[in-house]
Amino acid sequence: MAQASFNPHQIEELAAEAAGLIRDCTEGAALEALRLRYLGKRGEFTALLKGLKDVLPEDKPLIGKSLNLGKRRIEQALEQALGRIEQQREAAQRAAEVVDVTLPGRRPRRGSLHPLTQVLDEIVSIFENMGFVWEDGPEVESDWYNFKALNFPDDHPARDEQQTLFVDAGEHYGDVLLRTHTSPVQIRVMERQQPPVRMVCPGWVYRYDAIDATHYPMFSQVEGLLVDRDVTFGDLKGVLNEFVHRFYGSQTKTRFRPAFFPFTEPSAEVDISCFACSGSGVLGGKTCRLCQGTGWKEILGCGMVDPALYRNVGYDPDQYSGFAFGMGIERIAMFRYEVDDIKLFFEGDLRFLRQF
């Protein structure tokens, strides 16, 4: 019975039948169905392989050889068909992806400068046209440059850890910090250069602030310094008025209010007339949202350099005088573009940034 079921001729016919059907196959799913039909766990050829145990011992070598040759023939047919179907699929995919050179090209979206960069470049350009020079300095500073040389007393609130981000410098902890303003650059420039000095120092500064709509632990500033002989508060007003008129327009008014800064005396806050309501405080019959009905908007602080700073850098306060000013870039940008949340400048949301 075993010999009748495992005739080498029958094995060859079954293998030939399977190989022929596989060669004619053109789809992956159909090819897989044929593989299962013949070589699956319950496949026709698999059944013959399992039945080899019932063959008479003297016939096993011949029947076993026929089965192995038949199985190899089917496997080779499957491999060739799979390669052919894959080549056809890739060819069809390439044909579908052919570029039609007659179609107009798709221009990639162009990037643009960040709104803070745009505002910074414009501010610096205005002061450079007035003869100021761009200066730079380190963002990790010492207590001397950030506080002591700028006339901050030892008990000033800015020295508190709740206001300033100190760097863990081992035994020097408390003397190394992230600068809280760009004013240290002014000290560094005066240390290496005798008057006249006319400079602006843009850059990032850091403060231990809770994040809300108008505060962020990292922001940018532009500060300016002018030191020469016979510099007066009138010169300061003239420079800042010129900046305001170039940046906001010649119709914009300025207002100087008394203030206090450790490094300037006298000191002032500078307001400009609200350009949204033209300083009236009313917009569209309602209270102007931008200036809250005051007609004014604060933009920067300034003052005449305190003589103590001159002594710290080796200048003679009887020979030289000067002024300094500083402004936050984010504040200027928020005012100009009517942005009500400072976080928008740092979140990287393209829907916001593409407006500029």
Side-chain angles (χ1 to χ4, degrees):
M1 181 183 296
Q3 287 177 302
S5 301
F6 293 93
N7 187 298
H9 182 68
Q10 293 175 333
I11 295 172
E12 183 179 346
E13 285 184 346
L14 182 61
E17 173 191 294
L21 292 174
I22 290 170
R23 280 195 301 270
D24 295 337
C25 188
T26 59
E27 296 181 356
L31 183 65
E32 177 62 12
L34 288 173
R35 185 189 71 79
L36 294 174
R37 173 180 171 182
Y38 291 103
L39 297 181
K41 289 184 178 180
R42 298 181 180 181
E44 296 178 27
F45 211 87
T46 302
L48 296 180
L49 290 168
K50 291 180 178 179
L52 184 61
K53 66 181 185 299
D54 299 325
V55 177
L56 294 175
E58 61 269 23
D59 294 333
K60 278 188 177 181
L62 179 62
I63 300 300
K65 181 178 180 181
S66 297
L67 287 170
N68 286 332
L69 290 174
K71 181 181 179 183
R72 189 177 308 163
R73 183 177 181 181
I74 295 173
E75 289 175 339
Q76 289 176 346
L78 285 168
E79 183 177 347
Q80 293 172 0
L82 182 62
R84 184 183 69 255
I85 291 173
E86 182 64 21
Q87 289 178 353
Q88 293 172 348
R89 185 191 68 78
E90 291 178 354
Q93 184 177 354
R94 286 195 299 271
E97 293 177 351
V98 170
V99 177
D100 185 348
V101 296
T102 65
L103 293 174
R106 286 179 288 184
R107 182 172 297 179
R109 183 185 293 274
R110 294 184 62 184
S112 62
L113 293 176
H114 192 280
L116 295 181
T117 303
Q118 295 180 40
V119 171
L120 171 62
D121 288 349
E122 186 175 350
I123 291 173
V124 172
S125 177
I126 291 172
F127 284 109
E128 285 181 336
N129 288 335
M130 289 191 281
F132 287 77
V133 177
W134 181 316
E135 296 284 357
D136 201 2
E139 295 179 12
V140 179
E141 270 294 4
S142 68
D143 181 83
W144 166 257
Y145 287 107
N146 198 79
F147 291 129
K148 289 181 180 177
L150 291 164
N151 209 31
F152 280 81
D154 292 338
D155 59 352
H156 194 281
R159 291 174 177 266
D160 192 277
E161 291 186 358
Q162 299 303 314
Q163 297 290 332
T164 299
L165 297 169
F166 288 91
V167 177
D168 187 357
E171 61 182 12
H172 298 290
Y173 182 81
D175 185 55
V176 183
L177 49 91
L178 298 181
R179 66 184 183 186
T180 59
H181 43 193
T182 56
S183 303
V185 182
Q186 301 178 21
I187 300 297
R188 291 179 176 274
V189 170
M190 288 191 288
E191 281 184 338
R192 72 167 188 262
Q193 176 183 332
Q194 287 297 307
V197 175
R198 187 176 293 196
M199 56 161 282
V200 288
C201 43
W204 293 105
V205 299
Y206 308 87
R207 296 180 186 175
Y208 194 8
D209 285 338
I211 298 176
D212 58 29
T214 57
H215 294 85
Y216 208 77
M218 177 186 76
F219 56 99
S220 52
Q221 280 187 337
V222 173
E223 295 193 20
L225 173 71
L226 188 150
V227 179
D228 205 340
R229 297 180 184 273
D230 302 321
V231 178
T232 68
F233 199 92
D235 297 316
L236 169 61
K237 293 184 67 175
V239 167
L240 294 182
N241 279 329
E242 181 66 15
F243 161 72
V244 167
H245 291 160
R246 292 192 189 184
F247 191 82
Y248 290 106
S250 58
Q251 76 286 352
T252 307
K253 299 177 182 179
T254 59
R255 181 177 70 176
F256 289 73
R257 292 181 290 106
F260 169 78
F261 303 110
F263 34 83
T264 54
E265 179 61 36
S267 304
E269 299 278 8
V270 179
D271 302 333
I272 64 171
S273 55
C274 178
F275 58 80
C277 63
S278 301
S280 67
V282 179
L283 185 64
K286 299 180 180 180
T287 299
C288 177
R289 184 175 58 88
L290 202 59
C291 66
Q292 281 76 51
T294 65
W296 297 94
K297 196 72 175 178
E298 177 190 330
I299 61 167
L300 59 87
C302 65
M304 301 301 292
V305 177
D306 193 301
L309 270 66
Y310 295 138
R311 287 187 283 269
N312 289 336
V313 298
Y315 286 9
D316 184 352
D318 294 328
Q319 296 291 324
Y320 301 107
S321 59
F323 60 77
F325 56 86
M327 66 190 82
I329 304 304
E330 288 78 5
R331 184 180 185 85
I332 300 295
M334 291 175 72
F335 187 27
R336 164 175 276 193
Y337 299 124
E338 299 186 38
V339 175
D340 58 7
D341 194 334
I342 192 174
K343 296 190 293 295
L344 292 170
F345 291 122
F346 300 102
E347 292 175 341
D349 190 330
L350 293 180
R351 295 171 300 177
F352 169 75
L353 297 176
R354 283 172 180 160
Q355 299 178 67
F356 308 98

